[in-house]
Amino acid sequence: MKITKVETFLVHWGDVSRPAEAAFGAATAVVAVHAGGLVGLGEASPMQGGVASLQVIARDMAPALIGADALDHAVILDRLLHKLIKLGPDGIVTGALAAIDIALWDLKGKAFRQPIYKLLGGAWRTRIPFYASIGRNDTRDVDGVVKTVEARLKAEQPSAIKIRWDGARGEIDRDIAGDIAKAKAVRRLVGDGYPLAFDANNRYSIGAAIRVGRALEELGYVWFEEPVEYYHPKAMGEVAQRLDITVSAGEQSYTLQSVAALIESGVRMVQPDIVKMGGVTGLMQCAALCHAHGVEFVPHQTQPSIGNAANLHVLATHMRATRPAELADGWSRCADTFVNAPKPDGGCLVVPDGPGLGLVVDEAMLARRRVDLKG
Ligand code: CA
């Protein structure tokens, strides 16, 4: 099954009549790999619109892919990683490889006429509980946070909720009392017992993280995500070991080795992201690593279509699913293009069961949303 063509393009999320508005960060970065008369779709990490990863695919990876057998999937990916390793194994190159990996799995599934989860060994479940991941709470006051959470609860009926802070990078410990007040107000809204998670987005020093973590324990939150800078795995591990609440991290890890470093430091819930961490293959490797260490494997996921579907195929195969799948803000964008993209259904997301990713694409809408990169 020789690869004949590799396309890279953005699918913009805005008004289809104005494709020029496809700004950085407002689009899905897509790779389409053609082989045997079939097309496999993959998605790269969306950081800065994913443009850099698409450029690396087009310039440095596509020439090596053309003519290769798509079923030599793992060899192709390892060869490309080591060819480009001097560009850095974390970031642009790994995000690009994640996209190609997802596209090759989509292609293989279509070739064998099976959903990806079947090729991975079968599904423990195809209805997967999800949590609503609600961002930008840094910019809201307590009332604004409560109203936003209330609206998502009503609209989506999630199995759990995570409140994220986002906010300015580099600024830490800005409003600890205010953050705790928001966490309290959300607990009051949903009542005791409803699963809540708190995502600090790397905003605390170790001391502040311990203080916020203690408050979250009192409030019955179930996990505390990325309390300190992700690039300090020892600090993350220290917070994890000093608190009773489960501390999680890993969405900014791009390699199995960096996930291993988090586990070695003391983190006991790991959150690799399929569009950064090696695609389907990378997440399966992470799942094995977590299983070997008795650590929870709970992937991070913010993308509306290809990334979400790929992530669900992996989760379907994971025996010990301890937490719901992430469904981030804006999940419905491009629903006119990926017409059966998983959406909330009684607290769950249903894994598509068609061949490959199982995504049905409206080609006319895709053409309207497609933006090709220049140069
Ligand atoms: Ca996060």
Side-chain angles (χ1 to χ4, degrees), residues 299-322:
H300 172 263
Q301 203 305 114
T302 60
Q303 298 306 289
S305 50
I306 300 169
N308 189 26
N311 184 55
L312 292 176
H313 280 277
V314 172
L315 290 180
T317 70
H318 187 53
M319 182 172 68
R320 293 202 170 107
T322 55

Side-chain angles (χ1 to χ4, degrees), residues 92-355:
I92 294 166
V93 169
T94 337
L97 290 173
I100 293 172
D101 180 82
I102 295 167
L104 291 177
W105 276 107
D106 189 29
L107 203 50
K108 284 200 288 193
K110 286 169 177 166
F112 291 105
R113 296 195 178 93
Q114 294 292 332
I116 290 172
Y117 66 76
K118 284 280 185 190
L119 302 186
L120 295 175
W124 289 90
R125 65 201 76 78
T126 52
R127 284 181 61 82
I128 298 179
F130 76 92
Y131 70 86
S133 178
I134 305 173
R136 301 189 184 173
N137 290 305
D138 185 50
T139 55
R140 299 184 182 109
D141 60 12
V142 172
D143 198 38
V145 172
V146 168
K147 284 199 171 111
T148 306
V149 171
E150 203 169 20
R152 287 285 292 277
L153 261 176
K154 197 172 165 204
E156 297 169 13
Q157 296 166 321
S159 294
I161 278 179
K162 178 172 90 184
I163 47 173
R164 311 195 315 267
W165 255 248
D166 301 320
R169 293 273 157 180
E171 218 182 11
I172 61 168
D173 298 351
R174 197 170 65 84
D175 184 14
I176 297 164
D179 295 349
I180 293 171
K182 291 173 189 175
K184 267 186 192 158
V186 173
R187 170 52 76 203
R188 213 174 300 125
L189 171 74
V190 299
D192 290 340
Y194 186 87
L196 286 173
F198 182 110
D199 185 350
N201 297 104
N202 318 103
R203 291 159 36 98
Y204 299 128
S205 61
I206 292 175
I210 300 294
R211 187 174 152 202
V212 174
R214 293 274 179 246
L216 297 176
E217 287 167 359
E218 286 291 310
L219 292 168
Y221 276 60
V222 294
W223 83 77
F224 184 18
E225 186 165 321
E226 287 201 306
V228 297
E229 278 292 5
Y230 82 96
Y231 50 65
H232 287 145
K234 284 186 181 166
M236 199 74 82
E238 181 181 343
V239 175
Q241 291 298 300
R242 288 174 63 188
L243 288 172
D244 292 328
I245 188 172
T246 298
V247 168
S248 66
E251 68 175 79
Q252 301 182 76
S253 297
Y254 286 80
T255 64
L256 208 52
Q257 292 78 6
S258 59
V259 172
L262 278 175
I263 295 172
E264 282 161 17
S265 75
V267 174
R268 297 293 174 256
M269 175 172 151
V270 171
Q271 299 170 295
D273 188 315
I274 199 158
V275 297
K276 291 187 176 70
M277 174 68 234
V280 171
T281 306
L283 275 203
M284 293 298 284
Q285 290 172 343
C286 276
L289 181 68
C290 290
H291 186 44
H293 287 87
V295 167
E296 288 181 73
F297 168 73
V298 185
H300 172 263
Q301 203 305 114
T302 60
Q303 298 306 289
S305 50
I306 300 169
N308 189 26
N311 184 55
L312 292 176
H313 280 277
V314 172
L315 290 180
T317 70
H318 187 53
M319 182 172 68
R320 293 202 170 107
T322 55
R323 315 277 182 180
E326 181 165 16
L327 189 67
D329 328 77
W331 56 268
S332 61
R333 59 205 176 205
C334 303
D336 57 3
T337 305
F338 299 93
V339 294
N340 67 337
K343 55 177 189 282
D345 177 2
C348 292
L349 300 172
V350 180
V351 190
D353 62 359

Side-chain angles (χ1 to χ4, degrees), residues 10 24-25 27 29 44-55 373:
L10 299 174
F24 287 106
S45 169
M47 298 303 115
Q48 303 302 309
V51 172
S53 285
L54 293 190
Q55 286 170 333
L373 297 172

Side-chain angles (χ1 to χ4, degrees), residues 65-79:
L65 288 166
I66 304 294
D69 184 343
L71 299 178
D72 288 338
H73 183 156
V75 174
I76 292 170
L77 290 173
D78 273 337
R79 188 172 282 146

